[in-house]
Amino acid sequence: MEENKRIVFSTDTKVWINRIIEILELHKKCYPEKYGNIDTNKTKSYMSKDKIIVAYQEENWESAICEFPTIWLSLKDDEIAKIILSDIKRD
């Protein structure tokens, strides 16, 4: 593995869940018009090799409230915020 890659490896599910919630909070902070009302206490997450899908517990996965690449789990917050803000400009 290349040294410059910051990949998070953990078998502790709480670590993954906490990081997903942190990323959702970044979405809320950077794009409150779209993500400001997300209640992270009522969400569920699906993680694949390529992406993470977040939906409310009572909803199905097709009603996702947020999706982002799995690689974001290993990025720093400021890097994620830049991506979110650049996506806002494209919308």
Side-chain angles (χ1 to χ4, degrees), residues 1-89:
M1 177 184 276
E2 295 177 30
E3 288 183 62
N4 64 347
K5 292 188 179 179
R6 294 181 307 272
I7 306 289
V8 177
F9 290 105
S10 174
T11 56
D12 185 356
T13 306
K14 286 184 180 182
V15 171
W16 293 111
I17 292 169
N18 288 339
R19 186 63 183 141
I20 291 168
I21 290 172
E22 289 170 358
I23 293 171
L24 286 175
E25 293 296 333
L26 276 173
H27 275 86
K28 290 170 65 172
K29 183 178 178 182
C30 293
Y31 199 178
E33 299 84 8
K34 185 172 182 179
Y35 300 107
N37 293 327
I38 294 176
D39 183 351
T40 56
N41 293 317
K42 297 180 180 180
T43 59
K44 60 182 178 181
S45 303
Y46 169 79
M47 184 185 322
S48 72
K49 180 181 173 185
D50 300 320
K51 67 181 174 179
I52 295 180
I53 302 170
V54 180
Y56 282 114
Q57 292 173 359
E58 67 275 357
E59 300 290 329
N60 58 34
W61 296 113
E62 289 77 32
S63 300
I65 53 175
C66 188
E67 291 185 30
F68 53 89
T70 304
I71 193 70
W72 283 20
L73 295 174
S74 64
L75 297 178
K76 295 180 180 177
D77 286 359
D78 61 335
E79 295 174 71
I80 296 169
K82 287 178 189 175
I83 296 168
I84 294 169
L85 292 171
S86 69
D87 287 346
I88 293 169
K89 291 178 183 176

